[in-house]
Amino acid sequence: MKKEIISDAVIRRLPRYYRQLTELCARGVVRISSQALGQEMNITASQIRQDFSCFGEFGQQGYGYNVEELRAEIGHILGVDNGHHLIMIGVGNLGRALLRNFPFSQTGFSVEAAFDISPTVVGSSINGVPVYGMSELDGFVRSHDVDVVVLTIPQSVAQDTANRLIDLGVRGFWNFTNVELSSPGNDDVKFENIHFADSLLTLSYRIANR
Amino acid sequence: MKKEIISDAVIRRLPRYYRQLTELCARGVVRISSQALGQEMNITASQIRQDFSCFGEFGQQGYGYNVEELRAEIGHILGVDNGHHLIMIGVGNLGRALLRNFPFSQTGFSVEAAFDISPTVVGSSINGVPVYGMSELDGFVRSHDVDVVVLTIPQSVAQDTANRLIDLGVRGFWNFTNVELSSPGNDDVKFENIHFADSLLTLSYRIANR
DNA sequence: TAGATTGTTAATCGATTAACAATC
DNA sequence: TAGATTGTTAATCGATTAACAATC
């Protein structure tokens, strides 16, 4: 396996490959060529082979790729079989929507707990996930493996909460607060920011400039 | 104004500029140079000037950019002052979360109505937005300007619902269904797909390969 | 005016695509 | 074996960065 620096563009495509391959599996497709896969995904066969070759040799000349095998390989690269643990901070509408509907386990994450300030939800449990008060956060993080924290809290407390968690050793954040979070000088803290507004604005641009 | 093809990379940066400039406005900053803006956003001054120059000349030599003016210009390019109209299909947890918390009006959209199949919500109103039954959808779309439809419905009905709306003339979709929607041979239908799982998987990759 | 900073042209860098020898 | 298709190297394309003349 070549261990050079993988470009962000490639990494961003991996989940799409994984998604497509999962669908092909479901359809019962056993093998596929880069050509055929490219057709389905609207990208070139060249790019597919180039992308995969960053991680190893998953195909066979004259045959193509075994769908199930390739899916497993890419899943492995993405870390879906790493058994990552995750907690959620903020159980408002969005937090609840995710707890109820998002397929965390299919993505390789187990949701260990959720935290909120509201006495109305603290002590309850949402889709099997217990909701604790914020005062219990530090203790919980210290005594459990927490790989990723989902931030579904108001903007105003986003960076402070992130800082608190970084101090506790958390190194991954899935951030829905519409604030650009960062941890200057701490390169191994990873943020994945979801900016709903940015997304809608690009759509706005495209329908305005047709 | 140059009217060449604007690359996707540039378009994707526009909302970030807009966001940053909005914040600068709030902070009371009156003028800024490409240099200083680049520092704040962690991109090169060159790129900023290159990006802006796709749309016009918004700066002044020796001075830089007027923050409020530039914000207005970019907002205009993005179409925030176009008065776009939007409806939502599906008022589950995620739909409600968006209706209650997403700043549609700040993004230049007015939410006209929501639609759902559940008798429990039909007839109610969420954050001032009336919820109608699906049977009223066609009539509503025919009698109103609908620029964008937000799809917060189950995967299984996503493409069918989209097709139905495309037939009714809808040309913009903000799609949360985790299905890659498309409208083959209909280039002026625009989809903006939000793939939560893709986002979390890239985070998974980065924490696994540190 | 002198200094600062733009808009734009040219140079560089990186990512995508094409081509092809290796091989199943 | 012959045909198909990979993995990889080379060519192309596009995007980012650097440089600088224009000018406020």
Side-chain angles (χ1 to χ4, degrees):
Chain A
M1 192 203 289
K2 287 195 283 180
K3 237 316 171 354
E4 304 164 32
I5 319 106
I6 314 288
S7 86
D8 195 63
V10 174
I11 296 167
R12 294 267 158 207
R13 277 193 294 270
L14 290 179
R16 251 194 96 209
Y17 289 129
Y18 189 66
R19 193 147 39 85
Q20 185 68 42
L21 290 162
T22 302
E23 204 209 299
L24 288 166
C25 271
R27 273 201 249 146
V29 178
V30 173
R31 55 168 278 219
I32 196 158
S33 66
S34 55
Q35 173 92 130
L37 185 57
Q39 214 133 39
E40 299 234 22
M41 298 183 65
N42 223 34
I43 54 185
T44 65
S46 237
Q47 177 157 80
I48 289 173
R49 296 204 300 278
Q50 193 75 277
D51 282 352
F52 293 171
S53 76
C54 298
F55 303 100
E57 312 194 352
F58 306 135
Q60 204 167 339
Q61 281 99 330
Y63 175 87
Y65 301 88
N66 176 292
V67 174
E68 209 159 332
E69 221 174 279
L70 183 59
R71 174 175 180 276
E73 290 283 7
I74 294 182
H76 181 70
I77 293 162
L78 287 169
V80 301
D81 44 13
N82 282 12
H84 287 138
H85 299 292
L86 171 154
I87 62 173
M88 177 180 284
I89 321 275
V91 195
N93 286 290
L94 181 58
R96 272 198 295 274
L98 290 170
L99 286 178
R100 292 205 180 112
N101 303 313
F102 186 82
F104 284 102
S105 64
Q106 281 176 51
T107 319
F109 285 86
S110 78
V111 185
E112 304 295 315
F115 296 84
D116 203 291
I117 49 163
S118 162
T120 330
V121 286
V122 170
S124 74
S125 128
I126 298 170
N127 202 14
V129 176
V131 181
Y132 302 117
M134 287 299 281
S135 58
E136 299 177 65
L137 179 60
D138 294 33
F140 189 96
V141 173
R142 285 210 185 83
S143 58
H144 294 73
D145 258 356
V146 175
D147 302 290
V148 166
V149 170
V150 186
L151 295 175
T152 41
I153 50 181
Q155 281 200 18
S156 48
V157 294
Q159 186 71 61
D160 284 350
T161 307
N163 291 344
R164 177 175 164 192
L165 289 157
I166 291 167
D167 286 345
L168 288 163
V170 175
R171 291 293 172 264
F173 291 90
W174 200 23
N175 171 35
F176 288 81
T177 67
N178 204 36
V179 170
E180 204 82 35
L181 294 180
S182 67
S183 179
N186 207 338
D187 277 358
D188 59 46
V189 179
K190 308 295 182 190
F191 296 93
E192 173 70 14
N193 301 302
I194 296 221
H195 287 296
F196 288 147
D198 288 14
S199 166
L200 184 55
L201 283 174
T202 61
L203 183 59
S204 174
Y205 173 86
R206 285 182 288 145
I207 59 176
N209 299 70
R210 211 150 5 208
Chain B
M1 193 203 293
K2 285 196 283 182
K3 237 320 164 28
E4 303 163 33
I5 318 105
I6 314 288
S7 85
D8 195 62
V10 175
I11 296 167
R12 294 268 156 205
R13 279 194 294 271
L14 291 179
R16 251 195 96 209
Y17 289 130
Y18 189 66
R19 194 148 37 87
Q20 185 68 42
L21 289 163
T22 302
E23 203 209 298
L24 289 167
C25 272
R27 275 201 248 146
V29 178
V30 173
R31 54 168 278 216
I32 197 159
S33 66
S34 55
Q35 173 93 127
L37 185 57
Q39 214 133 40
E40 299 234 22
M41 298 183 66
N42 223 34
I43 53 184
T44 65
S46 238
Q47 177 156 80
I48 289 173
R49 295 204 299 280
Q50 193 76 277
D51 283 352
F52 293 171
S53 77
C54 298
F55 303 100
E57 312 195 353
F58 305 136
Q60 203 167 340
Q61 281 100 328
Y63 174 88
Y65 302 88
N66 176 292
V67 173
E68 209 159 332
E69 220 174 279
L70 183 59
R71 175 176 179 275
E73 290 283 6
I74 295 181
H76 181 70
I77 293 162
L78 287 169
V80 299
D81 44 13
N82 283 12
H84 286 138
H85 299 293
L86 172 153
I87 62 173
M88 176 180 285
I89 322 276
V91 195
N93 287 290
L94 181 58
R96 273 198 294 275
L98 290 170
L99 287 178
R100 292 206 180 111
N101 303 313
F102 187 81
F104 284 103
S105 64
Q106 281 175 53
T107 320
F109 286 86
S110 77
V111 185
E112 304 295 316
F115 296 84
D116 203 291
I117 48 164
S118 162
T120 330
V121 286
V122 170
S124 74
S125 127
I126 298 170
N127 202 12
V129 176
V131 181
Y132 303 117
M134 287 301 279
S135 59
E136 299 177 65
L137 179 59
D138 294 34
F140 189 96
V141 174
R142 285 210 186 84
S143 58
H144 293 73
D145 257 355
V146 175
D147 302 291
V148 166
V149 170
V150 186
L151 295 176
T152 40
I153 49 180
Q155 281 199 17
S156 49
V157 294
Q159 186 70 62
D160 285 350
T161 307
N163 291 344
R164 177 174 164 193
L165 289 157
I166 291 168
D167 287 344
L168 288 163
V170 175
R171 291 293 172 265
F173 291 89
W174 200 22
N175 171 34
F176 288 81
T177 67
N178 204 37
V179 170
E180 205 82 34
L181 294 180
S182 66
S183 179
N186 208 338
D187 276 359
D188 59 45
V189 180
K190 308 295 181 190
F191 296 93
E192 173 70 13
N193 301 302
I194 297 223
H195 287 295
F196 287 146
D198 288 14
S199 166
L200 185 55
L201 283 173
T202 61
L203 183 59
S204 174
Y205 173 85
R206 286 182 288 147
I207 60 177
N209 300 68
R210 206 147 13 203

